[in-house]
Amino acid sequence: MWVLMYVFSYSVDPAATNDRAEWRLRPNVVFQEFSNEERCKAAKSALESSLKDAGARLRSGLEDLKSIGKADPAQLIIAYNVECLPK
């Protein structure tokens, strides 16, 4: 048995928002069991790709705001870690 574990969080500095309220998703830890290592690694790869794409879209949105002087992508922190572990 294998366990896919991932941690994901993001934070946007208050200066990047119109209402000056800080946006933060505190670290979330998720576990999913898999019957074999190959399935776990396939899920890990798909999840990492999805998280990377989501981060790129968030940064792109902030780039658009930067162009009108409203935000800076440096104000965004995205952190994630994905691991397959034997159970």
Side-chain angles (χ1 to χ4, degrees), residues 22-81:
E22 186 175 8
W23 293 4
R24 178 174 290 175
L25 175 64
R26 303 220 185 270
N28 289 295
V29 180
V30 179
F31 298 93
Q32 176 69 46
E33 290 187 355
F34 289 88
S35 57
N36 62 55
E37 184 179 12
E38 293 77 28
R39 291 185 68 180
C40 187
K41 286 187 175 184
K44 176 184 177 190
S45 177
L47 184 58
E48 285 175 327
S49 177
S50 177
L51 292 173
K52 189 177 203 177
D53 289 346
R57 280 184 265 147
L58 284 169
R59 288 194 192 286
S60 175
L62 284 178
E63 284 288 349
D64 293 344
L65 290 172
K66 182 179 181 180
S67 69
I68 58 172
K70 297 288 185 183
D72 186 339
Q75 296 168 320
L76 176 66
I77 299 169
I78 301 169
Y80 63 87
N81 185 41

